[in-house]
Amino acid sequence: MTVAACPGCIALAPSVDTARKGVPDTEAAVYLALPQIRCAACIAGVEGVLAKLPSVKAARVNLSAKRVRLVLAPGCDASTALQALNDAGFDAHELDATALRPANDDAGRRLLARAAVAGFAMMNVMAISVAVWSGAGDVTRVMFHWVSAAIALPALAFSAVSFFASAGGALRAGRVNMDVPIALAILLAAATSLYETFAARGAHTWFDAALSLTFFLLVGRYLEHRARATARSAAAELTALELPRATRLTATGRETVDVAMLMPDDRIALAAGARAPVDGIAETAAMVDRSALTGEADPVALAAGDLVCAGEVILGAPLTLRATHRAEDSTLRRLAALVEVAETGKHRYSGIADRAARLYAPVVHGLAAVAFAVWWALTGDLHHAIAVATATLIITCPCALALAIPAVTAAMTGRLFRADVLLKSPTALERLADIDTVVFDKTGTLTEGVAVLPALDSDAASVALSLAQASNHPASRALAASLAGQAPAELRDVVEVAGKGVTALWNGLPVGLVRGEDGPELHLPDRCIPLPLTETPRPGTAALIAALRAGGWQVAMITGDTSARAAALAAKLGIDQIHAGVLPHEKVDLVRGMTEQGRRVLMVGDGLNDTAALAAAHASLAPGSALDAARVASDGVILGGTLGTVAQTLMLARRARSRIKQNLALAVAYNCVAIPVAVMGFATPLMAAAVMSSSSILVVLNALRR
């Protein structure tokens, strides 16, 4: 089926949510992802396909979310709908509905609702205040004050409850936080206004100031919430790829179970086109599509015994998977957890903000008390002294300082994740901004290996395959791929030495796959066979090196390979710093030597022999195809199939540092100007609320801009 895609409809995507009549929201629903839909014509096509299925009672397509919500007939599952949509040309797969609703979504809705109530009440009270400030008569003025109180007090009780609850909790624990002076300012403005209303003599009240303070603070916190939610949305979408149900193979046949019930060693039946519900081992050879997980566009061939990660799509023939982890320990869940860690980490700038926050409460309360005492002593006007103290409490709110760092961290972490770079360390973003030198491992990182094998007899081929399968070195992986289809030999006492090779016993005799002068060598009891390895640069590597050099970063290559082979590759890629014939411990020494020279090194490597150097570098990245040990040792993982995102990562890290400095400068400059203005009595509580909230919103918008 050919589906037209109208570019003009894409702009309207957020407002399109088309449904057939009679979709009952109360029934249990199944969600299918439709990543290829683009416009209203796509919606009509999807609904036309689903309308023909007796198993589908109703459907609702959400274009902005690229999903369809199905209500199925009793006893039916989503397999028929999935098959029909895929046959019609739509790439559809089932989503876990619970994973699509983040835990903090309710918090966002509450913030928005409270901000809406405060904003609505603020506008009405301000409209009334215009009449008061215009010189309304005594009786009219008092009536307007009572109307303002009737609007403001219930609105404040609802909208400002989070500030009161936070301040109350802090005070009960014997400490103060930033919400204590906020709550005090709101209460002081409301209480003084109520007193003026009861006294029937006040020319003005500050209900509008209390509402404005509440409204603008809630808007700022909602913007911060959205920034954090945006950073997590990509990880949440990956988590949603984990299926809610799976087909488990038992001694008596097949059974459909919740994915949460799957245990390690359970055998799971996966049809062609199905997604793996948990991590597991393939029992037969298979082709998988892991684009949703790593960004790799090309299908990947797996041999029996290879790992399949949750979220990968099985291509070609059906596959039986033996689970290795429970659902909560799957790769997808770990991705979301790592994004959370990276987002909430501490920077060195956080120490500045934290110290300022600790000093904030006593300093602000002291300033407000001094301003109140001085103005009362100078003027004898209690009303004016309270107004100055209230304005001081409001205008010195440290919201801008509190938002300066987390808003930038959340925005940039999410942007990197969508660029296929997953930061694992909470301080990685800051350290990446310091980098001036990028050091690459060669084999498996800058290059892809292809084995060009001589004619091997069956014994040599089987021994070579077994030895290659025992190692995760890129050369071993290339060799194992070229020997696919051979029967592996039975080996004992297999030992891998990083940077040297793999040794074992075969029929009681020593054999090995070791590094030679011109590439891997197969050592058999009676002979040595060279196994040449032809290497080609990874796609986009030359452009990456050029971009790094243009951006001012020095680029070096460290390899255990020969000088001639390293120099040939370096000439192709434009790398002028080469360190060849380097053993694993020497890689660490080289990285540390660069550090001692004052350089900030980013190490990019993928092998066991790179692990120590990755840990020793100022920051480190590993490709998604890297050995597990390398991914664990690194600060981040490049999920895509190319290294092109390394330059983008470094540029975004520098941009994040710049934004943090800008935000801190904005917060400091604001307080240097605003505090004297408030203390000298030039700012009313209403002006203080508007100015303070504007500074917070400005900081968040600066963090979110491209």
Side-chain angles (χ1 to χ4, degrees), residues 2 31 94 139 154 198 225 237 261 271 295 355 398 405 422 468 485 510 582:
T2 302
Y31 290 84
E94 190 173 359
V139 175
F198 269 109
H225 171 84
E237 192 70 25
M261 296 176 60
R355 287 192 296 273
I405 297 167
L422 171 65
V582 179

Side-chain angles (χ1 to χ4, degrees), residues 390-701:
T390 303
T392 303
L393 284 172
I394 294 173
I395 211 166
T396 52
C397 172
C399 294
L401 188 61
L403 293 173
I405 297 167
V408 174
T409 303
M412 291 302 179
T413 301
R415 199 167 295 171
L416 281 171
F417 190 92
R418 286 186 290 277
D420 290 331
V421 177
L422 171 65
L423 296 184
K424 298 161 43 189
S425 167
T427 61
L429 192 64
E430 177 188 350
R431 286 183 283 115
L432 285 167
D434 296 332
I435 296 300
D436 54 32
T437 303
V438 183
V439 176
F440 291 97
D441 168 56
K442 181 177 77 71
T443 306
T445 302
L446 290 175
T447 65
E448 297 175 326
V450 179
V452 180
L453 299 180
L456 298 175
D457 58 59
S458 59
D459 284 346
S462 61
V463 170
L465 177 59
S466 294
L467 290 168
Q469 289 178 339
S471 171
N472 274 302
H473 190 277
S476 298
R477 292 200 296 264
L479 178 60
S482 66
L483 291 170
Q486 296 284 340
E490 293 186 9
L491 304 179
R492 294 188 298 107
D493 300 336
V494 180
V495 177
E496 180 178 12
V497 178
K500 294 185 177 180
V502 183
T503 60
L505 293 178
W506 172 57
N507 295 331
L509 299 174
V511 293
L513 181 64
V514 301
R515 188 179 76 181
E517 287 296 324
D518 297 316
E521 295 178 351
L522 175 63
H523 288 195
L524 297 175
D526 57 346
R527 62 192 188 277
C528 174
I529 304 174
L531 302 175
L533 186 71
T534 299
E535 292 182 305
T536 58
R538 281 181 179 266
T541 304
L544 164 66
I545 302 303
L548 289 172
R549 297 184 66 175
W553 290 280
Q554 298 183 51
V555 181
M557 179 173 67
I558 296 180
T559 178
D561 209 344
T562 62
S563 298
R565 291 165 63 90
L569 178 67
K572 288 182 183 179
L573 300 179
I575 300 175
D576 50 15
Q577 297 184 43
I578 310 167
H579 303 276
V582 179
L583 294 175
H585 69 275
E586 294 172 333
K587 288 188 178 183
V588 181
D589 294 339
L590 279 169
V591 169
R592 287 176 176 165
M594 293 178 184
T595 302
E596 290 171 359
Q597 295 170 13
R599 296 157 76 177
R600 294 290 182 264
V601 177
L602 169 65
M603 178 69 192
V604 184
D606 76 323
L608 185 65
N609 55 350
D610 301 318
T611 304
L614 289 168
H618 190 67
S620 55
L621 295 172
S625 58
L627 183 67
D628 286 347
R631 294 200 300 268
V632 170
S634 65
D635 294 309
V637 177
I638 303 166
L639 300 176
T642 69
L643 296 177
T645 52
V646 171
Q648 184 181 4
T649 299
L650 293 176
M651 286 187 285
L652 284 175
R654 285 185 175 179
R655 191 180 304 171
R657 179 174 62 185
S658 175
R659 296 279 171 82
I660 288 173
K661 289 182 177 179
Q662 289 170 12
N663 282 352
L664 290 173
L666 283 171
V668 171
Y670 158 77
N671 281 286
C672 288
V673 174
I675 291 175
V677 169
V679 171
M680 289 188 292
F682 294 132
T684 66
L686 179 58
M687 291 168 55
V691 172
M692 180 279 304
S693 302
S694 298
S695 69
S696 301
I697 293 173
L698 182 62
V699 161
V700 174
L701 292 178

Side-chain angles (χ1 to χ4, degrees), residues 172-248:
R172 284 193 297 272
R175 58 183 178 82
V176 292
N177 60 13
M178 61 184 292
D179 286 332
V180 170
I182 291 172
L184 181 60
I186 294 172
L187 285 173
L188 191 59
T192 306
S193 300
L194 194 59
Y195 169 78
E196 294 293 329
T197 302
F198 269 109
R201 65 177 181 82
H204 303 290
T205 57
W206 303 320
F207 291 119
D208 49 2
L211 287 168
S212 299
L213 173 62
T214 304
F215 171 71
F216 286 116
L217 280 173
L218 289 170
V219 168
R221 293 194 178 184
Y222 179 74
L223 288 174
E224 180 198 8
H225 171 84
R226 289 304 308 157
R228 291 180 179 274
T230 299
R232 287 190 293 265
S233 61
E237 192 70 25
L238 278 177
T239 305
L241 295 177
E242 192 172 79
L243 301 178
R245 289 172 294 280
T247 301
R248 182 167 59 187

Side-chain angles (χ1 to χ4, degrees), residues 289-433:
D289 174 6
R290 52 180 51 152
S291 57
L293 192 63
T294 68
E296 275 187 67
D298 296 330
V300 178
L302 301 180
D306 284 350
L307 177 66
V308 178
C309 294
E312 295 179 352
V313 179
I314 309 304
L315 303 176
L319 175 70
T320 299
L321 188 71
R322 185 175 296 277
T324 57
H325 296 85
R326 291 175 58 89
E328 58 264 30
D329 299 322
S330 71
T331 301
L332 296 175
R333 297 283 180 91
R334 291 198 297 271
L335 285 177
L338 288 172
V339 171
E340 181 75 19
V341 169
E343 177 199 313
T344 57
K346 291 284 186 181
H347 296 251
R348 66 166 166 260
Y349 300 110
S350 298
I352 301 173
D354 290 344
R355 287 192 296 273
R358 284 195 296 270
L359 292 172
Y360 162 72
V363 169
V364 168
H365 292 153
L367 277 174
V370 169
F372 171 79
V374 169
W375 279 100
W376 192 13
L378 291 176
T379 65
D381 187 344
L382 179 62
H383 184 280
H384 183 66
I386 292 175
V388 173
T390 303
T392 303
L393 284 172
I394 294 173
I395 211 166
T396 52
C397 172
C399 294
L401 188 61
L403 293 173
I405 297 167
V408 174
T409 303
M412 291 302 179
T413 301
R415 199 167 295 171
L416 281 171
F417 190 92
R418 286 186 290 277
D420 290 331
V421 177
L422 171 65
L423 296 184
K424 298 161 43 189
S425 167
T427 61
L429 192 64
E430 177 188 350
R431 286 183 283 115
L432 285 167

